[in-house]
Amino acid sequence: MALFVFESIAQYHKELNNGSTTCLSVVEFYLQQIEQQKHLNAYVEVFAEEARAKATQLDLQLEQQRNLKKESSDKTSGPELLPLFGVVVGIKDVLCYEGHTVSAASRMLNNFKAPYSATSIQRLLDAGAIIIGRLNCDEFAMGSSNENSAYGPTLNALDNSRVPGGSSGGSAVAVQAGLCMVSLGSDTGGSVRQPADFTGVIGLKPSYGRVSRYGLIAYASSFDQVGIFARNIPDAALLLEVIAGQDAFDSTCSSLPVPAYSKELFQPDAALFSRMEAPAMESVQHSKTYKFAYFRDAVEHPSLDPEIKTALLAKFDELKAAGHQVTALEFPLLEYIVPTYYILTTAEASSNLSRFDGVRYGHRSAEPVEDLADFYAHNRSEGFGKEVKRRILLGSFVLSAGYYDAYFTKAQQVRRRLFDQTQLIFKDFDAILAPTAPTPAFKFGEKSDDPIAMYLGDIYTVFANLTGLPAIALPIFWHSNGMPFSLQVMTNRFEELSLLRVSASLV
Ligand code: GLN
C-alpha cells in the first residue's frame, strides 16, 4: 500500500483534488496503522467497515463532481470539498455517536448504544468527516493519566513506560502516533491540554459555551467542554469552526456567531486593534506584537519542574526581544484553584452520575438483593471504578447539609473571584501564558496510589475551566528526559480567533 503522509487537511484536500490519493486508500492506511500500533491501546473500538463504506461513497461523490466539472466550461480548480471531506477523525469514548457503543471507559456503560449523536459529532459528519473509531480515556473523564479506564491504560507512543496524560489519553495518542488526522476529546479541568502536553500535539479547549455539550456524557456540567487534538493550528481552527456554535439542544451553548477561524486565522487581529490607540495600531499591524501576562506564582511554584521553568522564562525573554510585552502578575489565589476545582466538579459529578443506577442507565448486578437500596448499591459498586467512587463520595460530602456552606458555597465564591480577576487582566492584556503541567509525562504507577498528588498536577489547567476561558497547549519544548512539553495560552472568553492567531505566531 502507498505510504500516506499526513501534513494538514488543506494538503490532503489538494491531494484528493488532484487525484493523487483517495479517501479509501487513506482509510486503509489508518486502519493498518491502528492495527500495527494496537499495543498503544488508543482505540477501544474501530469502525473499520463503516469507515471504508463512507470513504468509498466520498470517493464516488468526488469522481462525479470531477466529471461534472470536466463537462462544464469552468476549468479553474478542483471541485469544492466539504470542510472536513474525507478527514479521518477519532472520538473520545464520552461522545455519543448514534447506534454506536459509548461507554465512558466504564463497566457501568458496557455495551451501551448511543440513541442519538452529540451535536459536535453530527457536525463532523455533516462536514464530511469519516469517524474511524472511539478512543480510550479515564472512566467518566476523571483522571490525569488514563490509568482509570475499564479498558486498561493507553500508552504514550514516545515512551511506552510513561502515561499519555488524561483523561483524553486515547485521543492524544491517536494524533501523536498518526492513527487519525485529528481527534475530539473533552476538557473539564485539562483533559485535552494535559494529554496534548504529554504527547506533543496541539490541544485546544474552547471557551465554555463555544461548543455544544449535547451528547457529551456529563462529568461536571459547568466545566465540561468538547476539545480538539490536531497536529497544526489551521487544522484545529477548521475543526473548531465546524463544531462550534449555537445549539437548540444545549442552552449553555452561546449564540455568538462563529468566526470563519480557518480563513481569518492569518488576517489582522481586529479585536486587538480595537483596544489600541491609532499610533500603536500602526506599529502592531507591522510587527504584530502582543501584550502577554503570566502569573509569577505559577512560574515560581515549587511543583514546577526546573527545566520547564527555565524553558518558559527563556521563551518569555525571546518574546520580549521580539517586541512583545511580557508582564509578571501577582496571583495569590493560585493555591486555591485545585481545591476549588475538586470541590465543585465532584459536587456536580455526584449529581450527574446519580442517573447510573441500573434502572435508568447502566450496569445491573446479577447478585441477589434485599431491597431497593441494596439493589442500587450492588449496581453502582460493581459498575463504577475506584476513582469515580471516590469522587461521588467527595461530591456527596461537600453537598451534604452540614458542609454545604463551608465547602460548596465557599468554592463558588472563589470561582466568582477568579472570574472577576480574569476580566480585569484582559482589560490590559491580550493573552495569559502559563505552563500546561508541572512535569512532563510521568511513569505508569508513579501517582496512581496518591490521588492528591494526581490532583495537584492539574494546577495549571483548571484555571481556564473555572473561568470559562479558551486555552491551548502548544507543544514547543523538549525535556532532557526525551519528552515534549508545551506552552499554554489563554485569551478572554470567546476570543478563540485571537487565541489561534497568537498560537500561530508562537509555534
Ligand atoms: N484531571 C482532571 C480531573 O481528573 C481533569 C479531567 C477532565 O478534564 N476531564 O478531573
Side-chain angles (χ1 to χ4, degrees):
M1 185 192 310
L3 184 72
F4 173 73
V5 180
F6 176 70
E7 238 173 74
S8 66
I9 294 172
Q11 174 65 22
Y12 169 50
H13 279 177
K14 231 180 257 164
E15 288 168 25
L16 283 176
N17 260 328
N18 69 24
S20 57
T21 196
T22 63
C23 296
L24 185 59
S25 65
V26 166
V27 162
E28 292 297 355
F29 167 80
Y30 280 109
L31 290 173
Q32 199 184 55
Q33 295 301 307
I34 293 169
E35 188 55 36
Q36 274 173 14
Q37 309 283 338
K38 230 180 166 157
H39 65 284
L40 297 175
N41 202 19
Y43 283 88
V44 296
E45 187 180 353
V46 181
F47 309 138
E49 281 323 306
E50 224 185 300
R52 284 189 179 111
K54 173 105 186 230
T56 308
Q57 177 214 323
L58 290 174
D59 285 335
L60 206 70
Q61 194 182 317
L62 184 59
E63 185 63 30
Q64 282 166 351
Q65 269 177 273
R66 234 189 247 126
N67 289 340
L68 277 178
K69 196 114 188 177
K70 261 188 221 154
E71 285 162 21
S72 83
S73 53
D74 179 8
K75 296 270 178 288
T76 46
S77 59
E80 266 296 301
L81 298 182
L82 281 168
L84 298 180
F85 186 95
V87 171
V88 178
V89 187
I91 59 172
K92 183 175 179 180
D93 189 24
V94 288
L95 285 158
C96 293
Y97 179 14
E98 189 179 346
H100 298 74
T101 302
V102 58
S103 79
S106 180
R107 276 194 69 190
M108 186 51 103
L109 284 175
N110 194 17
N111 293 326
F112 176 76
K113 289 252 185 303
Y116 58 86
S117 288
T119 299
S120 52
I121 298 302
Q122 193 55 51
R123 288 184 182 171
L124 287 184
L125 295 169
D126 293 346
I130 300 171
I131 298 180
I132 199 160
R134 64 186 167 102
L135 295 158
N136 205 351
C137 58
D138 283 303
E139 185 179 4
F140 283 98
M142 297 173 184
S144 308
S145 64
N146 219 124
E147 288 166 294
N148 303 333
S149 167
Y151 300 101
T154 298
L155 311 186
N156 194 315
L158 271 167
D159 176 346
N160 293 175
S161 69
R162 291 181 192 272
V163 304
S167 62
S168 317
S171 304
V173 170
V175 172
Q176 177 197 36
L179 311 179
C180 61
M181 295 175 180
V182 283
S183 68
L184 290 189
S186 66
D187 191 314
T188 305
S191 279
V192 166
R193 290 158 288 152
Q194 185 255 24
D197 175 81
F198 281 14
T199 54
V201 302
I202 289 168
L204 170 66
K205 178 199 94 75
S207 309
Y208 183 78
R210 184 68 294 186
V211 178
S212 169
R213 292 181 296 109
Y214 180 70
L216 166 68
I217 294 179
Y219 160 14
S221 312
S222 77
F223 294 74
D224 297 341
Q225 220 2 238
V226 175
I228 294 164
F229 291 90
R231 298 181 89 98
N232 58 61
I233 299 292
D235 286 359
L238 181 61
L239 218 66
L240 181 64
E241 191 175 316
V242 167
I243 65 172
Q246 190 167 14
D247 181 19
F249 295 125
D250 175 5
S251 60
T252 64
C253 187
S254 170
S255 59
L256 277 175
V258 179
Y261 298 115
S262 61
K263 290 180 195 68
E264 292 186 39
L265 184 58
F266 295 108
Q267 286 161 15
D269 193 334
L272 173 62
F273 294 159
S274 66
R275 275 199 296 277
M276 300 196 147
E277 305 295 328
M281 223 173 99
E282 242 169 54
S283 69
V284 163
Q285 251 157 342
H286 294 122
S287 59
K288 277 208 180 142
T289 54
Y290 292 101
K291 286 178 163 184
F292 294 117
Y294 72 92
F295 299 135
R296 194 193 307 279
D297 306 76
V299 176
E300 299 293 333
H301 200 270
S303 71
L304 185 63
D305 179 284
E307 269 190 54
I308 299 186
K309 178 178 172 178
T310 309
L312 280 176
L313 291 175
K315 185 71 193 173
F316 296 166
D317 285 343
E318 188 190 303
L319 289 170
K320 281 188 216 160
H324 301 279
Q325 234 185 65
V326 184
T327 310
L329 301 179
E330 303 307 321
F331 185 60
L333 289 177
L334 188 69
E335 293 299 337
Y336 295 94
I337 63 172
V338 170
T340 303
Y341 168 81
Y342 276 95
I343 288 169
L344 295 176
T345 52
T346 55
E348 292 189 24
S350 73
S351 158
N352 274 329
L353 270 59
S354 65
R355 74 192 70 166
F356 302 104
D357 55 11
V359 179
R360 288 170 292 179
Y361 291 98
H363 171 82
R364 192 172 287 191
S365 170
E367 296 291 311
V369 293
E370 305 256 302
D371 53 22
L372 191 61
D374 194 33
F375 171 68
Y376 289 148
H378 268 89
N379 297 343
R380 287 166 69 81
S381 303
E382 289 173 17
F384 289 133
K386 200 169 157 193
E387 182 59 28
V388 174
K389 284 180 195 158
R390 179 170 17 245
R391 297 199 189 197
I392 292 172
L393 288 172
L394 254 170
S396 310
F397 176 77
V398 299
L399 286 175
S400 60
Y403 295 100
Y404 189 92
D405 282 339
Y407 293 104
F408 188 70
T409 308
K410 201 78 195 160
Q412 275 186 312
Q413 287 164 347
V414 177
R415 188 178 197 186
R416 180 76 226 181
R417 283 194 57 180
L418 286 170
F419 180 77
D420 293 345
Q421 281 203 356
T422 352
Q423 292 312 301
L424 287 179
I425 294 171
F426 285 120
K427 279 196 174 142
D428 295 324
F429 296 94
D430 303 308
I432 300 173
L433 304 178
T436 304
T439 66
F442 45 88
K443 300 257 182 186
F444 282 103
E446 206 175 306
K447 298 191 189 183
S448 42
D449 292 330
D450 187 351
I452 301 287
M454 194 72 98
Y455 297 170
L456 287 173
D458 297 335
I459 184 165
Y460 299 119
T461 45
V462 296
F463 177 74
N465 306 80
L466 281 159
T467 51
L469 303 181
I472 194 163
L474 302 172
I476 57 172
F477 303 114
W478 287 95
H479 198 274
S480 60
N481 68 3
M483 299 310 288
F485 61 96
S486 60
L487 174 67
Q488 187 183 189
V489 189
M490 291 166 256
T491 51
N492 206 353
R493 284 193 72 182
F494 299 107
E495 288 194 6
E496 276 83 357
L497 186 55
S498 292
L499 182 66
L500 291 161
R501 282 175 173 157
V502 174
S503 302
S505 77
L506 289 170
V507 288

